[in-house]
Amino acid sequence: MARNPRRDLLAGLTVAIVALPLALGFGVSSGLGAEAGLATAVVAGALAALFGGSNLQVSGPTGAMTVVLVPIVAEYGPGGVLTVGLLAGLMLIALALLRAGRYMRYIPAPVVEGFTLGIACVIGLQQIPNALGVAKPDGDRVLMVTWRAVEAFVRAPNWTAVALAAGVAAVMLAGARWRPTVPFSIVAVIVATVVAQVFHLDAAAPIGDLPSGLPAPSLGFLDVSALGSLLAPAVAVAALAALESLLSATVADGMTVGQKHDPDKELFGQGVANLAAPLFGGVPATAAIARTAVNVRTGAGSRLAALTHAAVLAVIVFAAAPLVSKIPLAALAGVLLATAIRMVEVSSLRAMARATRSDGLVLVLTAVATLALDLVYAVIIGLVVAGALALRAVAQQARMDQVDFRPDLPGEHSDEEHALLAEHIVAYRIDGPLFFAGAHRFLLELSEVADVRVVILRMSRITTMDATGALVLKDAVEKLNRRSIAVMTSGIRPGQRQVLDSVGVLDLLRLEGREYATTPEAIAGAREHLQGAGVLPVVPAQSPAPVTEEAAR
């Protein structure tokens, strides 16, 4: 299973050291306690490594998931969160069976960067109560909770907690610049814990008692009557788990040579992990980008590293629970504050904001929505806005240009004949997509055609067409016909026929005999129409010139 077991074991040990304070901190932040974070890291970490689609992925509790869980805990309690995790696991397995993993690649980069920035802000704000050493105020809106925590601190300052949190965060941030490979988070937490114990800093509240081991698996939390109301939160959790896990797997692939994840298998692994974690009291899990990056950088080459990470954390749960229980909450708050700061890549945000106005707008909207609403609404808003702007950009690529039909005239003609035909016939070539986003602009342009008897539409360069585009085309043909302007078409592609036929455009053209395979044939049909109307003199038939591929379009 492992190409280099020793390297994988070392990588797993390193990741476990990094993951321990994060698992404890995210468990506390979620509202279910440090033991829930550890249970998630052990159970979900092991199962996702076994059944997932990436050899390098490390899973467990994450900040992004904590952001979603806080309001669920406030509304439904701990049992509701465990039920949501169970339902989310089933949904992830269903997504895997439906092979939906491939579609996650279509999430635009500005949306990903925007909600990452928003998550970082929310994670940082969630740590303010513990960093200030005050009891967490009631509420699920992070901005309001933060404001109330600051008010409580002003009334009764706890500088001990502030110093511990700031010291841990400073050590982590400075250490990451000095020696990126050293897990300074665990070093800072150990030092803070020792200082709190040696100097009897009662103002630094500890985590509290932890169970020496994982609880027996149980479904005692499941309330069947509440399943209906928990479906919406479960969808949000499943969507986030899928998005973050596949994003993390993509990042891991990019950091290595020869590694490639299976997105559907990864969804299945995350589903199994989330199905099992609640049975042991764990919160919903997802792949962790930061821990996965540490795993890759320390030389991991197989799933053995992630399994080792889970095993080491399990040993800590069973053997070192009394020591872990003495860690100050303020120290964990410092770890997560530093983590939130390191999540923000200023250079990436600056590049995204400078790329286009649309990218900058999507990024800012997604980040603000994450902070003011929640992550799921933020992603939806970001996707909707990004989609609308993309459609606008695509629609603007559509063009309808008047073209000279002289090169396509069959046979030889004098300048006088050319001039006479040009007075009565106009040809347009439609380039690009003809769909709902830009079809009405096309209708306005075509409806303004005047002082001619025949309009030839060259349609072979239409890249895509939907029902709206077909209906607009039909409306334009009918309007021109009512003004006694005949419409000829050329080059309709087979893929467009079904759409055009569904709204009756082809019937309309066939009725008048005005659909042609090539442009020269359409011009010949236009001449016959004008001769029949007495506009052009009848001339002896001439053999048509050979039709080139360009002329046919």
Side-chain angles (χ1 to χ4, degrees):
M1 182 166 102
R3 297 176 182 174
N4 191 330
R6 180 178 299 177
R7 181 177 294 179
D8 285 330
L9 291 171
L10 180 60
L13 176 62
T14 305
V15 175
I17 293 172
V18 173
L20 176 60
L22 293 174
L24 295 170
F26 288 136
V28 171
S29 295
S30 71
L32 269 69
E35 61 273 18
L38 282 175
T40 303
V42 173
V43 177
L47 292 176
L50 282 173
F51 296 101
S54 171
N55 292 328
L56 306 174
Q57 194 96 279
V58 179
S59 299
T62 63
M65 189 61 75
T66 301
V67 171
V68 176
L69 296 181
V70 169
I72 298 176
V73 174
E75 186 170 355
Y76 301 104
V81 171
L82 300 180
T83 304
V84 163
L86 201 67
L87 294 174
L90 292 172
M91 292 177 185
L92 287 168
I93 292 175
L95 287 174
L97 296 177
L98 292 172
R99 304 187 66 81
R102 70 193 75 178
Y103 298 109
M104 300 304 290
R105 72 186 69 172
Y106 297 115
I107 302 294
V111 175
V112 175
E113 292 290 344
F115 81 66
T116 301
L117 174 60
I119 288 168
C121 294
V122 174
I123 292 173
L125 292 174
Q126 284 178 342
Q127 309 318 309
I128 296 301
N130 285 336
L132 297 180
V134 300
K136 183 180 178 181
D138 295 331
D140 60 346
R141 295 297 178 190
V142 67
L143 292 173
M144 185 59 66
V145 170
T146 301
W147 178 255
R148 291 173 180 169
V150 172
E151 288 180 332
F153 177 80
V154 170
R155 289 193 297 269
N158 184 344
W159 295 108
T160 300
V162 173
L164 286 175
V168 169
V171 168
M172 285 184 61
L173 295 174
R177 287 179 171 273
W178 179 50
R179 288 284 189 273
T181 58
V182 177
F184 281 98
S185 58
I186 195 69
V187 174
V189 167
I190 290 173
V191 171
T193 304
V194 170
V195 169
Q197 293 297 310
V198 170
F199 293 97
H200 304 288
L201 302 179
D202 296 332
I207 291 176
D209 293 336
L210 292 174
S212 297
L214 296 175
S218 170
L219 280 172
F221 60 85
L222 188 61
D223 182 3
V224 178
S225 63
L227 291 180
S229 61
L230 293 172
L231 280 177
V235 170
V237 169
L240 176 59
L243 179 62
E244 189 170 11
S245 297
L246 295 180
L247 175 64
S248 176
T250 302
V251 171
D253 289 349
M255 296 176 66
T256 60
V257 177
Q259 293 281 358
K260 186 174 178 61
H261 73 283
D262 182 333
D264 297 312
K265 191 176 179 182
E266 181 60 28
L267 289 180
F268 181 80
Q270 294 298 329
V272 172
N274 279 284
L275 202 60
L279 304 180
F280 297 89
V283 296
T286 179
I289 296 178
R291 275 158 273 178
T292 298
V294 171
N295 194 40
V296 175
R297 290 190 186 115
T298 49
S302 75
R303 301 168 190 265
L304 179 60
L307 288 170
T308 301
H309 138 269
V312 171
L313 291 177
V315 170
I316 293 173
V317 170
F318 282 97
L323 296 176
V324 173
S325 66
K326 299 181 184 299
I327 296 175
L329 290 172
L332 293 182
V335 171
L336 298 188
L337 283 170
T339 301
I341 293 172
R342 293 176 64 182
M343 285 177 66
V344 180
E345 297 185 11
V346 177
S347 59
S348 179
L349 292 175
R350 187 184 295 116
M352 196 69 63
R354 288 178 176 176
T356 66
R357 291 183 179 179
S358 297
D359 289 336
L361 176 62
V362 171
L363 189 153
V364 171
L365 279 178
T366 306
V368 172
T370 301
L371 190 58
L373 302 173
D374 65 48
L375 186 61
V376 177
Y377 283 124
V379 172
I380 292 173
I381 290 171
L383 288 176
V384 169
V385 174
L389 292 173
L391 285 174
R392 176 173 171 267
V394 171
Q396 289 176 341
Q397 295 176 3
R399 296 170 52 196
M400 187 178 70
D401 298 323
Q402 183 175 344
V403 294
D404 184 10
F405 59 82
R406 184 176 305 183
D408 301 327
L409 278 173
E412 298 295 332
H413 302 276
S414 64
D415 291 340
E416 289 80 9
E417 288 176 312
H418 285 151
L420 185 61
L421 289 170
E423 288 181 6
H424 301 289
I425 303 174
V426 64
Y428 288 98
R429 184 175 60 218
I430 307 172
D431 289 325
L434 184 61
F435 69 130
F436 70 93
H440 292 285
R441 177 168 58 87
F442 164 80
L443 173 61
L444 291 175
E445 292 180 18
L446 194 56
S447 298
E448 292 175 356
V449 175
D451 301 327
V452 296
R453 301 296 294 272
V454 179
V455 171
I456 297 175
L457 297 179
R458 302 173 62 173
M459 301 176 60
S460 64
R461 295 191 181 183
I462 296 177
T463 56
T464 186
M465 180 187 299
D466 67 356
T468 303
L471 285 170
V472 165
L473 180 61
K474 180 183 179 183
D475 195 14
V477 171
E478 290 176 339
K479 285 185 176 181
L480 291 172
N481 286 344
R482 284 196 293 269
R483 292 166 50 199
S484 300
I485 299 176
V487 178
M488 314 286 183
T489 62
S490 69
I492 296 178
R493 294 182 176 180
Q496 301 165 4
R497 287 189 168 278
Q498 183 177 354
V499 181
L500 291 170
D501 201 28
S502 66
V503 299
V505 176
L506 294 183
D507 291 338
L508 182 63
L509 295 171
R510 291 191 194 107
L511 186 65
E512 302 290 338
R514 294 171 181 171
E515 182 202 346
Y516 300 92
T518 66
T519 300
E521 292 174 357
I523 295 173
R527 288 197 60 178
E528 291 178 9
H529 172 77
L530 294 175
Q531 289 169 355
V535 177
L536 291 181
V538 178
V539 296
Q542 302 182 47
S543 59
V547 178
T548 65
E549 181 180 352
E550 178 63 26
R553 290 187 293 178

